[in-house]
Amino acid sequence: MTNLRNLTILIFCGLLFSCGTEKKEEALENQAPERLVGTWQLKQRIYTEGSSEPELVMPSDTMIYNKNLTETHFTWIQYDKKNDVLLGTGGGTYNYDGSSYVEHIEFFMPLEAGILGQAINFTADFKDGEWYHTGFIKEIEFDPELAQMVIVDSNKIDEIWQKVEKTADSDNLVGTWKLVELRNAPNEPAFSYPDFVNYLKLITPSHFIWIQYNDEGDQVSGVGSGTYTYNGDNDYREQIQMRYPTGNPTVGGEYIFKIEIGDDGLWNHYCTSVEKNGLSTDSIYVDEKWAKFESI
């Protein structure tokens, strides 16, 4: 009888331990990652505009729909690879406190009234490695009677994102970089863009994206994005997946850079050739200096 009682206690304790372990593993699995830094691919997007029927977007093999986050900035792009069309892009800075995620919109394309300058609050729930992303975009219009912009409606966004695994040993490159100066030819002097031009490059552990837009955020003049390889020293290569303006012949090619990060923290970025379809061309010249955002 005593042995039976002991066996019952052991079984009960084993069940408690098993349940406790499963719950602990489930909690760890569903908790938010320590950092959001990385590139996330959209799995599903449901957009509900006012009282209209929800619009469902399911990315396909012919579409790139990515969100790139560094510790300070985010961008998203929606690009139709089949037709070489940039359908949309946006970005800015963000805040994340472990449960609430807020995007501060600094540029947006196509331009929509009221989007620029918004602080959009999202929930940030994580389950099975996926990011469940729900928020509301305010629809703003000009009220002539009040002579000011007013909120007239809100549109709901429900998204699911899947993080892309780290592909490069690039801890010293990951972050947001701002273009300091460049030259267009070997014998020309270096120059800088005017202060109202923002030229940023975001490096995640798997992707890069650069964006050029004006200070008001209402005109995006250039975007380029893709994956990259880096040997941890001076060999850095970008595989171009999309460019805007579209029609650029380097899409599908690989830029071969020689880089150096100096004692001043500037990233020197030099390229004279692009490989595509097994062929190399020397018709490219890139000579740039970038400063990491945190050191500007």
Side-chain angles (χ1 to χ4, degrees):
M1 189 69 176
T2 302
N3 290 337
L4 181 60
R5 185 183 297 113
N6 290 340
L7 179 60
T8 303
I9 292 172
L10 286 172
I11 293 173
F12 180 69
C13 290
L15 289 172
L16 283 178
F17 177 78
S18 176
C19 292
T21 301
E22 289 177 2
K23 288 182 178 180
K24 184 176 181 180
E25 289 177 351
E26 182 181 353
L28 289 173
E29 184 179 79
N30 294 342
Q31 71 181 3
E34 183 178 353
R35 294 196 307 169
L36 290 177
V37 172
T39 294
W40 300 76
Q41 293 179 336
L42 186 74
K43 290 191 65 177
Q44 177 180 296
R45 182 177 194 266
I46 300 175
Y47 182 73
T48 306
E49 184 174 1
S51 59
S52 63
E53 289 296 317
E55 174 190 352
L56 174 65
V57 176
M58 300 288 288
S60 65
D61 292 339
T62 62
M63 183 186 296
I64 296 174
Y65 207 141
N66 289 349
K67 184 186 285 283
N68 304 281
L69 287 96
T70 68
E71 290 187 340
T72 57
H73 290 74
F74 80 95
T75 65
W76 64 266
I77 57 170
Q78 183 182 6
Y79 172 69
D80 180 349
K81 294 190 291 183
K82 182 178 179 180
N83 298 300
D84 187 22
V85 176
L86 179 62
L87 300 174
T89 186
T93 59
Y94 72 92
N95 300 109
Y96 175 61
D97 64 5
S99 60
S100 176
Y101 170 80
V102 183
E103 292 184 346
H104 306 277
I105 310 300
E106 295 182 358
F107 67 92
F108 197 91
M109 172 190 167
L111 186 63
E112 296 182 24
I115 297 292
L116 287 174
Q118 279 197 38
I120 304 176
N121 291 269
F122 291 91
T123 59
D125 299 320
F126 297 85
K127 183 177 181 180
D128 301 328
E130 295 177 341
W131 179 6
Y132 290 75
H133 198 239
T134 301
F136 291 86
I137 295 178
K138 297 183 286 289
E139 187 174 322
I140 301 175
E141 294 181 358
F142 181 77
D143 187 325
E145 294 184 1
L146 298 175
Q148 64 184 24
M149 304 296 287
V150 296
I151 300 173
V152 296
D153 207 344
S154 63
N155 304 316
K156 185 180 181 182
I157 298 175
D158 279 303
E159 298 171 331
I160 303 174
W161 298 86
Q162 180 73 51
K163 197 171 190 180
V164 179
E165 292 185 5
K166 179 178 180 178
T167 58
D169 184 14
S170 53
D171 290 345
N172 61 329
L173 294 183
V174 170
T176 300
W177 299 78
K178 184 177 178 65
L179 186 67
V180 175
E181 64 178 31
L182 71 158
R183 65 180 80 236
N184 290 326
N187 298 321
E188 290 185 2
F191 68 95
S192 301
Y193 283 109
D195 290 341
F196 64 83
V197 175
N198 289 280
Y199 208 137
L200 302 181
K201 188 185 210 66
L202 278 67
I203 304 289
T204 76
S206 61
H207 286 68
F208 77 91
I209 181 169
W210 59 263
I211 316 99
Q212 183 180 358
Y213 62 98
N214 68 7
D215 202 38
E216 298 298 324
D218 57 359
Q219 182 179 359
V220 177
S221 52
V223 184
S225 183
T227 58
Y228 67 93
T229 57
Y230 177 52
N231 70 350
D233 188 15
N234 65 353
D235 189 85
Y236 169 81
R237 304 184 178 210
E238 293 182 345
Q239 296 82 44
I240 312 301
Q241 295 180 339
M242 64 80 57
R243 286 286 300 269
Y244 173 81
T246 52
N248 193 294
T250 63
V251 172
E254 180 178 65
Y255 277 69
I256 302 172
F257 288 93
K258 295 301 178 185
I259 70 170
E260 179 184 4
I261 298 179
D263 295 336
D264 55 3
L266 293 181
W267 177 6
N268 297 283
H269 208 220
Y270 181 74
C271 172
T272 58
S273 64
V274 174
E275 291 185 357
K276 186 175 181 179
N277 300 324
L279 301 176
S280 179
T281 174
D282 59 359
S283 60
I284 299 296
Y285 184 83
V286 180
D287 189 354
E288 302 168 334
K289 286 187 178 181
W290 298 80
K292 213 164 194 178
F293 190 83
E294 62 194 23
S295 63
I296 295 174

